[in-house]
Amino acid sequence: MIRQATLDDMEQVVQVLSYLVPMGKNIRENLQPETFAKIMDLDSCDTLVWESDGQIVAVGSLWVLQKIIRGYGKMGQIEDVVVLPEYRGSGFGKMIIDALIEKARERGAYK
């Protein structure tokens, strides 16, 4: 099931996102609870998770930016899409991306 990430998801989100950083790097050093809370409160960011049996197995974020060259129109930028290794190939990543694209459209993004 795809849903919006919450503050209670932080530990699991960090665990999934850790697959995006090189071995030996600790994402937790840069993502403290206060930082995570600020990101969750931003109107310009949506972070979605795919939850399966109470475990977050995929994460993706949408940042909505205002662009000067398009009359200050909105542009959606999808980032940090990752699926736990044991769930890769299941389509969860594509479903997260599709849901983020739909969120961008709902917010009026031109791309």
Side-chain angles (χ1 to χ4, degrees):
M1 156 181 100
I2 294 177
R3 63 174 177 78
Q4 186 75 34
T6 67
L7 292 176
D8 293 335
D9 295 326
M10 182 181 163
E11 291 304 320
Q12 287 190 65
V13 167
V14 167
Q15 177 189 7
V16 176
L17 288 175
S18 70
Y19 287 93
L20 291 178
V21 297
M23 291 295 285
K25 297 283 184 179
N26 184 354
I27 190 173
R28 189 71 165 89
E29 293 173 359
N30 297 320
L31 190 58
Q32 299 298 316
E34 307 81 41
T35 307
F36 191 75
K38 286 179 184 177
I39 293 168
M40 292 294 103
D41 282 343
L42 290 173
D43 289 334
S44 59
C45 182
D46 282 304
T47 298
L48 300 182
V49 298
W50 180 277
E51 187 176 29
S52 178
D53 297 323
Q55 179 184 11
I56 293 174
V57 301
V59 176
S61 293
L62 169 70
W63 290 88
V64 177
L65 311 169
Q66 302 287 153
K67 299 297 285 186
I68 294 170
I69 61 171
R70 291 285 188 133
Y72 215 58
K74 296 178 182 177
M75 178 192 83
Q77 182 171 315
I78 294 174
E79 293 192 356
D80 302 331
V81 176
V82 63
V83 178
L84 289 177
E86 60 269 28
Y87 290 89
R88 291 179 185 165
S90 63
F92 293 148
K94 182 177 180 342
M95 288 186 267
I96 289 271
I97 290 170
D98 289 346
L100 291 169
I101 290 169
E102 183 58 32
K103 281 218 169 264
R105 286 184 180 130
E106 289 169 6
R107 289 169 157 254
Y110 68 87
K111 72 173 182 177

